[in-house]
Amino acid sequence: MATEAMEQLARREYKQGFITDIESDTVPPGLDESTIAFISQKKGEPQWMLDWRLEAYHQWLKMTSPSWAHLDYPPIDYQAISYFSAPKKPEDRPQSLDEVDPKLLETYEKLGIPLHERAALAGVAVDAVFDSVSVTTTFREKLAEAGVIFCSISEAIREYPELVRQYLGTVVPPGDNYFAALNSAVFTDGSFVYIPEGVTCPMELSTYFRINAANTGQFERTLIVCDKRAQVSYLEGCTAPQRDENQLHAAVVELVALEDAYIKYSTVQNWYPGDEDGKGGIYNFVTKRGDCRGDRSRISWTQVETGSAITWKYPSCLLRGNESKGEFYSVAVTNGRQQADTGTKMIHIGKNTSSTIVSKGIAAGKSNQSYRGLVKVSPRATGSRNFTQCDSLLIGDKCGAHTFPYQEIGNSRSTIEHEATTSKIGDDQLFYCKSRGISEEDAVSMIVNGFCKDVFQELPMEFAVEAEALLSVTLEGSVG
Amino acid sequence: MLEIKDLHATVEGNEILKGITLTINPGEVHAIMGPNGAGKSTLSAVLAGRDGYEVTQGTITFDGKDLAEMAVEERAQAGLLMGFQYPVEIPGVKNIYLLKSALNAQRAARGMEDMPAPEFMKLIKEKIAFMKMDSSFLHRAVNEGFSGGEKKRNEILQMLVLQPKLALLDEIDSGLDIDAMKVVAEGVNSLRSEDRAILMVTHYQRLLDHITPDQVHVLIDGRIAKSGDQHLAQELEARGYEWVVEEPAA
């Protein structure tokens, strides 16, 4: 298999008129079965995994890119994307912070990231990078004592194949949607977490470093399984701006909560949003779904979305267990020419299930954003409740905010509440704050943070601080 | 403290202020009165630095600095604070948070550290009691759902906390019932001190029954037509504004 894949790749390179050293762990742009075989082989995967990927690929070929979102972007050329590229060799990276773009460093400083971490985030080959690796190892020992598994998805496929096979694709099947199918075929990175029965994870798990340190890997796949009565809080941070042009990021996150389990998943997303004119930036097409499989299980999504040129993301909950709970707390900020179509789906299947949705959208500049949410209550999900609150804040008069709430209620013994508001940061409000001695930027950030506080209080402490700082950075220069 | 010389200002190309000259010294309370459309609000707006008001001629000097060259927040940091006729609502932002941000922004501009939280709380509790406001007010959003009286009390509360050198009160009495007026007046009177000046802009004389000004100026058609002491205000109340126009400016 391996040889065959190499040969096919070699032929393709030739056809495209340039030579690449196959030893260098990089595939040229393009997607076909050989690319997938190559990825699978590089990751040392078993045959079943390759078969799973190929099946997803075949499904993807028959699908079309969704067009229902309130987004505007040119068609993506999937043959122009490179699907596997190992991190650069240490000697190719910047050797010190002096070689890193000062604007990038300025951003880190504003976010309050410590100096040695800034170096790691910027991809500088310094000792700090190795330090953080060893720190991770220490954590892993402590986690192992509790029986918690926390490793990369590739490692999990090799080391814990039974667990991965049992749960992978059971929440987001490979054929779920266009981007999920693509991810299933080509994912190269991501995390796997398993919390055994009755265990409360002794620390908050985070992918903050790893995703930032990676120069590549725009197709992460994350799988978190919480066994009966287990609990975990998981943080995902993507706070490093990316410099490249219109990169595609198509991640899949699957959460499984068994009886009485609780998963809290927090995200602070700040991928590169493109420049002021809308050039460059990440296309962020992400499928995140949690399955409250057991009775009384609970899944809580909290997200702060400030980056990306385009965001298409609906962290959802399948409330299958009786009395299970789903929560979605979201702050989405768009500036410049960013576009975001985000929201959630709460699917009530079990009896007496409840869900809470709090969405705060902030649009500035010439950006556009939509909240799109579905609350579906199946006929047998009697005694279910949903509360939705959906607020939009506009800064300036060239941006737009839209709300698309969908409700499908299959029984008469459930309660659904929906509240929505739209407001605007007016010149009068800014003038008022300034006339008290507060600078315009601080005034904007004060008003925006006030608007978002219901969501920020759901974030773990250190993330809340970062999120507030991030909003100020994102909205810099959005008025005046 | 404030020296206005031959001030001309336009709004959308129309000249509203046509040569105002006015000097306010520390410790003084001045009232500017005048009929609707005389330029009272424009004068407040120009002093506070609102957008859309252009100074075309003359100078405004505040504490030796050229006020027209200063940004809105710099004016506040330098000690000029405006009490608004119509304070805006800021949903989501708690009063206590605005007060704290404003106080610390002003302190920072003067090279001071943030006020320690216990000291700040003590200060706020004292001032809020003085203004006869309930402490739950601190945790409500700025001016959101406030009655007219509550909004005005809030403006004065900010003055008491921020302790400006020059308090500029724009129609602070409008929309107040008599009880609220008394509380607001007491707040303003408590601000009076040897090193602080107060400039009130008002349409009615009744505010001046509670806050006695040192000087009263009558603004008519963009100029100060007459100046005098508190008795001038009473005369205006009795005779209206028309007679001032006929007499030569003081």
Side-chain angles (χ1 to χ4, degrees), chain B residues 65-244:
Chain B
K65 281 176 274 190
D66 181 358
L67 196 70
E69 288 298 306
M70 294 162 80
V72 179
E73 60 268 34
E74 287 169 352
R75 297 176 193 210
Q77 289 159 6
L80 187 157
L81 202 66
M82 163 104 159
F84 285 77
Q85 183 179 5
Y86 303 111
V88 291
E89 301 190 356
I90 311 180
V93 177
K94 286 180 186 176
N95 274 298
I96 190 163
Y97 193 65
L98 176 79
L99 282 167
K100 199 174 169 187
S101 303
L103 183 66
N104 287 332
Q106 297 201 7
R107 287 170 71 99
R110 292 164 202 156
M112 294 162 78
E113 299 270 306
D114 282 3
M115 182 180 278
E119 195 184 324
F120 175 73
M121 284 315 298
K122 193 167 162 272
L123 174 72
I124 295 290
K125 280 188 178 150
E126 181 195 316
K127 302 300 183 191
I128 205 166
F130 186 84
M131 289 307 291
K132 300 188 170 58
M133 295 163 90
D134 192 273
S135 61
S136 67
F137 153 89
L138 290 172
H139 297 281
R140 288 167 65 188
V142 177
N143 294 321
E144 194 181 34
F146 284 22
S147 68
E150 284 177 317
K151 285 183 181 174
K152 295 298 168 68
R153 279 186 210 202
N154 190 23
E155 293 296 287
I156 303 302
L157 175 72
Q158 292 181 15
M159 298 263 171
L160 295 182
V161 171
L162 298 172
Q163 299 280 316
K165 286 183 190 162
L166 174 65
L168 181 61
L169 304 171
D170 188 12
E171 308 267 2
I172 199 73
D173 54 329
S174 68
L176 291 186
D177 60 31
I178 192 69
D179 292 334
M181 170 99 90
K182 277 183 185 162
V183 175
V184 164
E186 271 174 44
V188 174
N189 282 328
S190 80
L191 281 168
R192 297 181 85 142
S193 82
E194 277 180 18
D195 44 14
R196 177 176 298 123
I198 298 172
L199 176 60
M200 298 183 288
V201 172
T202 180
H203 188 74
Y204 299 105
Q205 189 262 342
R206 59 174 195 160
L207 178 69
L208 308 184
D209 290 342
H210 301 279
I211 308 166
T212 312
D214 299 302
Q215 286 193 48
V216 174
H217 311 277
V218 185
L219 190 65
I220 290 177
D221 192 27
R223 290 186 190 90
I224 290 178
K226 195 171 181 62
S227 294
D229 59 14
Q230 73 206 71
H231 302 295
L232 175 59
Q234 286 153 12
E235 201 171 350
L236 289 168
E237 181 75 359
R239 298 174 62 188
Y241 288 109
E242 289 76 19
W243 65 276
V244 181

Side-chain angles (χ1 to χ4, degrees), chain A residues 273-279 306 308-309 333-340 362-369 395 398-400 473-479:
Chain A
D275 68 11
E276 292 82 353
D277 303 319
K279 205 166 175 226
T306 64
S308 299
V333 189
T334 51
N335 195 0
R337 290 186 185 265
Q338 281 177 277
Q339 304 175 65
I362 300 145
K366 292 177 181 167
S367 68
N368 231 310
Q369 66 167 272
I395 303 175
K398 293 187 178 68
C399 52
V473 173
T474 306
L475 292 171
E476 215 162 72
S478 60
V479 284

Side-chain angles (χ1 to χ4, degrees), chain A residues 161-180:
Chain A
E162 296 79 18
L163 273 176
V164 175
R165 260 185 116 160
Q166 189 183 343
Y167 291 104
L168 187 73
T170 62
V171 185
V172 180
D176 185 80
N177 68 69
Y178 189 77
F179 298 107

Side-chain angles (χ1 to χ4, degrees), chain A residues 393 423-424 426-443 445-453 468, chain B residues 48-50 72-73 76-77 81-84 87-94 97-98 101-102 105-106 142-143 154-155 158 162:
Chain A
L393 183 68
S423 50
K424 192 169 183 284
D427 292 340
D428 280 354
Q429 289 175 330
L430 292 176
F431 179 70
Y432 189 80
C433 295
K434 287 195 285 185
S435 76
R436 267 70 190 124
I438 301 166
S439 73
E440 180 154 291
E441 278 178 3
D442 288 348
S445 118
M446 186 171 78
I447 295 170
V448 168
N449 280 309
F451 176 76
C452 299
K453 67 176 187 300
E468 285 194 19
Chain B
R50 198 183 270 279
V72 179
E73 60 268 34
Q77 289 159 6
L81 202 66
M82 163 104 159
F84 285 77
V88 291
E89 301 190 356
I90 311 180
V93 177
K94 286 180 186 176
Y97 193 65
L98 176 79
S101 303
Q106 297 201 7
V142 177
N143 294 321
N154 190 23
E155 293 296 287
Q158 292 181 15
L162 298 172

Side-chain angles (χ1 to χ4, degrees), chain A residues 203-220:
Chain A
M203 65 186 66
E204 282 178 333
L205 302 181
S206 167
T207 57
Y208 189 86
F209 279 94
R210 197 171 46 74
I211 286 182
N212 280 306
N215 292 319
T216 57
Q218 305 305 320
F219 301 94
E220 300 106 39

Side-chain angles (χ1 to χ4, degrees), chain A residues 331-374:
Chain A
V331 166
V333 189
T334 51
N335 195 0
R337 290 186 185 265
Q338 281 177 277
Q339 304 175 65
D341 194 302
T342 184
T344 186
K345 286 188 279 186
M346 292 290 172
I347 314 293
H348 295 253
I349 300 162
K351 289 187 201 309
N352 301 318
T353 48
S354 63
S355 60
T356 304
I357 299 170
V358 179
S359 166
K360 304 277 180 176
I362 300 145
K366 292 177 181 167
S367 68
N368 231 310
Q369 66 167 272
S370 308
Y371 166 81
R372 187 181 302 277
L374 168 68

Side-chain angles (χ1 to χ4, degrees), chain A residues 133-146:
Chain A
V133 170
S134 63
V135 167
T136 311
T137 318
T138 328
F139 281 164
R140 279 179 70 169
E141 278 164 14
K142 195 173 164 192
L143 290 171
E145 272 174 40

